[in-house]
Amino acid sequence: MRNSIRMKLFMGITCFALMIVSLFWIFNTKYLERYYMEQKKESLIKYSEKIKSMYDNNMEDIENELARIENILGGNITILKVDGEYLYISSFGYGRGGRKGQNIPLTREGIERVLSGEGILETFYHPKFHVKLLVYAAPLTKDSILVLQTSIGAIEESVEIAKNFYIYIGIISCIIGTIIAFWYANRFTKPIIKLNHVAKSMANLDFSKKYEVHSNDEIGQLGETMNDLSNKLDCAITQLNEANRKLKEDIEKERKIDLLRKEFISSVSHELKTPIALIQGYAEGLMDDVAGDEESKSFYCEVIMDEAEKMGKLVKDLLELSKMESGNVSFEMKVFDIITLVEKVYAKYKPIFKEKSIDVYIDKEDKEIKVKGDPLKIEQVLVNFINNGIHHIGGERKIYISIRNEDEKVRLGIKNTGEPIPEEEIHRIWDSFYKIDKSRAREYGGTGLGLSIVKGILKFHGSSFGVLNQEDGVEFWFELRKGE
Ligand SMILES: Nc1ncnc2c1ncn2[C@@H]1O[C@H](COP(=O)(O)OP(=O)(O)OP(=O)(O)O)[C@@H](O)[C@H]1O
Ligand SMILES: [Mg+2]
């Protein structure tokens, strides 16, 4: 606190005020009396000069003027001849009633000097009236002397009064000065303290605090600059944070992609391992003529063809998926009737349903519903869901295809009876190569890519989709936007 600007300013102003008051007091006590005296002397000399200029040996002409001067001076005037005859005696004051020569308050030496033509100034203590007098005597004419005298007791008294008065004034000035100094120091340092608060917040990277600019002086300008700096820093740090976050995100993404790539390669090689081993084994068998009869030979060939087909499907699916992920696949968006499409797919699958003794129900309310999308890709979605339904059918061996006409969308559901998908795995079935029952998938030649492809297609269409475990089976659903 002792080092604060407020304190320094307060002390400075207070000291300055004290110094002024002290100087004032010193000058007052030391020099005021002297100054008064000088003034008095000057006026005595001035009036004596005036009287000299007025006087032309006729006393009556100037008597009124002399009385007037006496009043102004607060003293009296005596004019006497060298031989002691009084030409003029003041009508009041110290000169009246005196005996010849006695009322002239001058020393003998003084009188002689005057007589020699010199103007003299003396102080004189009047023994009768007990007052101090200031006397100025000068030759008026060749044979007359002018004496002006004034009491200086009044001066000493006034100076004494003034001194006392200045003590009070000094004390009051000091008190008021201190209050003003305190107020001013406070007023001056308040904005600096506020600026410091803002700067401290900025140092802690909190840019929400701003300096309220109330003045246009240097501090106001500094405040504005600080606010500007705060805004710019805030902006720069936000940008930096954003860039940093993005960088972290990118690194994380990159890491995930790398992981996925590794997983993908291992999954692909894993998928290919079995068919290649089978093909190799059976081909070697054929080569070594292990299969004796024709029937076994054709079985060997069938296995080889079957496995080759699986590999072919895998490669085809992989290609499609990679195309979709790289955005290299072109969708031909059209408005088409979804009911016709569902019926077409159903017609294609009818023999398979029959062969596998599956009952299929199509639940639709309308004859025609126009939707927007790529009909070929939507067919692929339907085929994938139906194929999955066929492969995982159980229970009553039923498949329900529902087409619900909702406000702006059409909801399609493909449900098969059978075992539900374990809840903890349900969210993973859309991932590439994810299969819940691997041996069962292998039986029907599943690679685990079907739902990933479906996901890609539906995402492109901006559709919602999902899977629901129901009491007696599993329902896959997706939505399509209606078209005009
Ligand atoms: N209707 C369903 N009922 C139960 N499980 C299902 C059903 N549909 C899919 N699944 C599970 O989801 C996994 C992933 O399905 P997806 O269609 O992606 O692969 P897939 O059918 O095994 O192979 P692909 O479709 O590539 O031939 C399946 O292996 C299966 O475990
Ligand atoms: Mg499938």
Side-chain angles (χ1 to χ4, degrees):
M1 192 62 197
R2 200 186 300 164
N3 283 330
S4 73
I5 290 185
R6 184 181 0 192
M7 203 57 188
K8 283 178 189 165
L9 210 63
F10 171 68
M11 292 305 277
I13 298 171
T14 308
C15 287
F16 184 68
L18 274 176
M19 200 180 77
I20 295 279
V21 168
S22 312
L23 272 179
F24 212 66
W25 193 76
I26 291 168
F27 277 114
N28 209 30
T29 49
K30 285 249 175 212
Y31 303 108
L32 186 64
E33 198 172 338
R34 236 183 269 176
Y35 180 71
Y36 265 13
M37 285 292 269
E38 285 307 317
Q39 288 291 311
K40 275 283 176 196
K41 282 175 189 171
E42 264 178 38
S43 67
L44 285 184
I45 293 167
K46 193 180 88 189
Y47 283 114
S48 82
E49 293 299 323
K50 197 173 172 188
I51 294 165
K52 260 190 204 170
S53 66
M54 284 189 313
Y55 183 65
D56 59 352
N57 288 323
N58 193 348
M59 211 63 223
E60 270 163 35
D61 288 353
I62 60 163
E63 258 177 11
N64 281 344
E65 188 56 26
L66 289 176
R68 199 182 71 84
I69 293 171
E70 280 176 335
N71 271 316
I72 296 169
L73 275 177
N76 51 32
I77 301 169
T78 313
I79 300 172
L80 70 160
K81 282 202 152 182
V82 180
D83 59 9
E85 185 198 339
Y86 283 90
L87 290 173
Y88 176 83
I89 301 177
S90 177
S91 50
F92 61 91
Y94 321 109
R96 201 168 55 167
R99 272 178 287 134
K100 230 186 208 178
Q102 222 178 33
N103 58 340
I104 301 166
L106 281 174
T107 54
R108 178 122 305 274
E109 186 202 351
I111 292 171
E112 263 161 28
R113 273 171 60 198
V114 174
L115 287 177
S116 69
E118 202 180 328
I120 60 154
L121 207 82
E122 279 183 356
T123 46
F124 179 82
Y125 186 76
H126 201 295
K128 189 174 168 193
F129 298 110
H130 303 291
V131 286
K132 251 192 181 170
L133 298 172
L134 183 68
V135 183
Y136 179 70
L140 186 63
T141 57
K142 258 188 263 159
D143 57 349
S144 60
I145 300 169
L146 170 69
V147 181
L148 286 115
Q149 47 185 302
T150 182
S151 158
I152 53 171
I155 293 177
E156 283 171 353
E157 201 178 326
S158 316
V159 168
E160 208 48 49
I161 291 171
K163 271 185 203 165
N164 286 337
F165 182 66
Y166 278 124
I167 289 176
Y168 294 126
I169 292 270
I171 292 169
I172 293 169
S173 300
C174 279
I175 294 170
I176 294 176
T178 311
I179 293 170
I180 290 175
F182 185 74
W183 172 80
Y184 185 72
N186 241 351
R187 203 185 107 101
F188 189 79
T189 50
K190 224 177 202 171
I192 299 177
I193 292 168
K194 278 188 191 161
L195 268 175
N196 195 22
H197 276 305
V198 175
K200 271 187 184 160
S201 307
M202 275 168 71
N204 290 327
L205 299 183
D206 170 12
F207 302 106
S208 61
K209 287 202 177 75
K210 293 277 178 287
Y211 177 74
E212 280 174 38
V213 181
H214 291 300
S215 61
N216 198 25
D217 56 10
E218 286 85 342
I219 290 182
Q221 284 168 14
L222 178 64
E224 260 176 41
T225 313
M226 202 110 114
N227 285 348
D228 203 29
L229 177 71
S230 163
N231 284 339
K232 282 186 179 152
L233 266 177
D234 192 9
C235 214
I237 287 180
T238 312
Q239 273 175 5
L240 213 68
N241 279 342
E242 181 62 21
N244 200 18
R245 197 185 55 78
K246 242 187 177 160
L247 196 73
K248 275 188 189 157
E249 250 177 41
D250 283 355
I251 292 172
E252 185 61 18
K253 229 188 226 167
E254 204 59 41
R255 209 180 57 82
K256 269 189 188 159
I257 287 173
D258 204 46
L259 208 74
L260 278 176
R261 197 177 295 133
K262 278 182 191 149
E263 256 179 40
F264 190 79
I265 290 169
S266 97
S267 301
V268 172
S269 14
H270 189 78
E271 283 302 317
L272 287 171
K273 219 160 61 186
T274 322
I276 286 172
L278 279 170
I279 289 170
Q280 203 175 10
Y282 279 84
E284 275 170 11
L286 278 176
M287 189 91 125
D288 299 346
D289 214 7
V290 175
D293 52 86
E294 279 304 309
E295 208 177 315
S296 301
K297 266 187 192 166
S298 74
F299 171 72
Y300 274 41
C301 287
E302 253 173 51
V303 171
I304 289 171
M305 276 160 67
D306 206 35
E307 292 305 316
E309 197 189 310
K310 274 182 197 162
M311 278 166 64
K313 179 182 176 287
L314 175 74
V315 171
K316 200 183 115 237
D317 283 355
L318 274 176
L319 220 67
E320 183 157 9
L321 203 63
S322 103
K323 266 194 202 164
M324 205 129 54
E325 274 171 3
S326 64
N328 244 345
V329 67
S330 57
F331 282 73
E332 270 185 55
M333 301 301 269
K334 272 187 211 163
V335 173
F336 64 93
D337 176 21
I338 188 70
I339 293 177
T340 313
L341 185 72
V342 170
E343 279 169 349
K344 189 180 123 190
V345 175
Y346 169 70
K348 267 193 201 169
Y349 273 81
K350 219 172 172 181
I352 299 170
F353 292 142
K354 209 173 168 191
E355 186 201 317
K356 298 193 182 271
S357 38
I358 296 169
D359 294 328
V360 179
Y361 304 90
I362 299 179
D363 176 12
K364 58 178 193 314
E365 290 152 356
D366 307 77
K367 280 211 170 108
E368 183 192 80
I369 305 171
K370 294 272 189 216
V371 293
K372 207 171 173 202
D374 182 336
L376 281 179
K377 301 286 177 198
I378 297 301
E379 183 178 339
Q380 206 179 339
V381 171
L382 284 170
V383 166
N384 258 303
F385 284 151
I386 291 171
N387 263 333
N388 280 352
I390 294 169
H391 293 136
H392 296 92
I393 202 137
E396 291 180 11
R397 299 187 73 77
K398 281 177 181 158
I399 288 180
Y400 300 93
I401 301 172
S402 61
I403 307 162
R404 296 253 171 281
N405 192 347
E406 288 169 1
D407 287 343
E408 284 172 5
K409 290 167 187 164
V410 178
R411 182 190 187 277
L412 282 108
I414 293 101
K415 176 192 164 181
N416 64 280
T417 55
E419 287 296 308
I421 302 173
E423 283 300 328
E424 64 275 12
E425 287 184 86
I426 205 158
H427 64 280
R428 298 199 59 190
I429 57 169
W430 305 93
D431 295 347
S432 303
F433 298 110
Y434 196 79
K435 293 168 275 191
I436 294 166
D437 186 343
K438 289 186 180 56
S439 58
R440 184 168 179 179
R442 166 122 200 95
E443 254 173 52
Y444 64 82
T447 55
L449 289 176
L451 288 181
S452 318
I453 294 169
V454 165
K455 183 168 86 174
I457 294 171
L458 291 177
K459 269 194 175 170
F460 184 87
H461 280 75
S463 301
S464 306
F465 56 92
V467 55
L468 297 166
N469 272 327
Q470 292 184 346
E471 257 177 52
D472 54 344
V474 178
E475 186 199 42
F476 280 83
W477 64 272
F478 66 99
E479 287 176 341
L480 282 174
R481 240 175 297 148
K482 276 202 216 165
E484 291 303 307

